[in-house]
């Protein structure tokens, strides 16, 4: 009975993370679904849409191809003195190697550009 009095039972399945805060004993992370937050340059906003395909590369575990944009944020953030917005993608089920807080490489699959569109995009970036 005494052992059970000191046992904490989580209501969700997941992994236990030890926080680096003095006021928190432990954190249980639900790993049945992961969310990926991707900063994108503000100038690229018009090239993105909901359900657009994304490829995630998990270090030492390979690529995940069945990911899509779930949400496009409307707020502007500053990263390295550049204006970005955040897109959110959900990875529908568990994959080996994914952990909460892991930084992964991502590639957003966009429509192909004609040489003229590519030139326009480059010129626009120089004169903006």
């Amino acid at each position: 009975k005494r052992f059970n009095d000191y046992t904490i039972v989580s209501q969700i399945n997941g992994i236990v993370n030890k926080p680096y805060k003095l006021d928190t004993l432990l954190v249980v992370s639900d790993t049945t679904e992961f969310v990926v937050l991707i900063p994108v340059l503000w100038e690229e906003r018009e090239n993105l849409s909901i359900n657009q395909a994304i490829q995630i590369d998990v270090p030492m575990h390979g690529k995940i191809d069945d990911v899509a944009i779930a949400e496009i944020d409307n707020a502007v953030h500053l990263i390295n003195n550049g204006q970005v917005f955040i897109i959110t993608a959900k990875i529908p089920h568990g994959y080996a190697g994914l952990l909460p807080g892991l930084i992964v490489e991502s590639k957003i699959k966009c429509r192909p550009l004609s040489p003229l569109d590519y030139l326009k995009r480059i010129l626009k970036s120089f004169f903006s």
Side-chain angles (χ1 to χ4, degrees), residues 4-5 7 9-10 29 38 60 80 89 91 100-101 103 120 125:
N4 287 338
D5 289 341
T7 302
V9 179
S10 174
S29 299
I38 304 169
M60 298 181 292
N80 294 333
I91 299 177
I103 297 174
K120 285 179 184 177
S125 69

Side-chain angles (χ1 to χ4, degrees), residues 25-122:
L25 296 176
L26 61 96
V27 174
V28 178
S29 299
D30 182 4
T31 57
T32 56
E33 182 177 64
F34 283 95
V35 175
V36 181
L37 303 174
I38 304 169
V40 179
L41 290 174
W42 182 255
E43 296 81 23
E44 298 294 330
R45 187 171 178 82
E46 62 191 33
N47 300 319
L48 300 178
S49 62
I50 301 294
N51 294 325
Q52 191 168 348
I54 298 175
Q55 183 182 66
I56 306 294
D57 190 4
V58 181
M60 298 181 292
H61 289 279
K63 297 182 184 337
I64 304 171
D65 288 319
D66 57 344
V67 180
I69 296 175
E71 182 180 323
I72 299 174
D73 191 13
N74 288 323
V76 177
H77 307 276
L78 287 175
I79 297 179
N80 294 333
N81 293 326
Q83 295 185 55
V84 300
F85 62 98
I86 306 296
I87 62 171
T88 304
K90 293 180 183 177
I91 299 177
H93 42 78
Y95 282 90
L98 281 178
L99 295 171
L102 182 67
I103 297 174
V104 296
E105 183 178 327
S106 60
K107 295 179 183 176
I108 302 169
K109 297 177 183 177
C110 296
R111 64 176 174 77
L113 290 177
S114 69
L116 182 60
D117 288 338
Y118 184 73
L119 183 60
K120 285 179 184 177
R121 185 181 283 190
I122 289 175

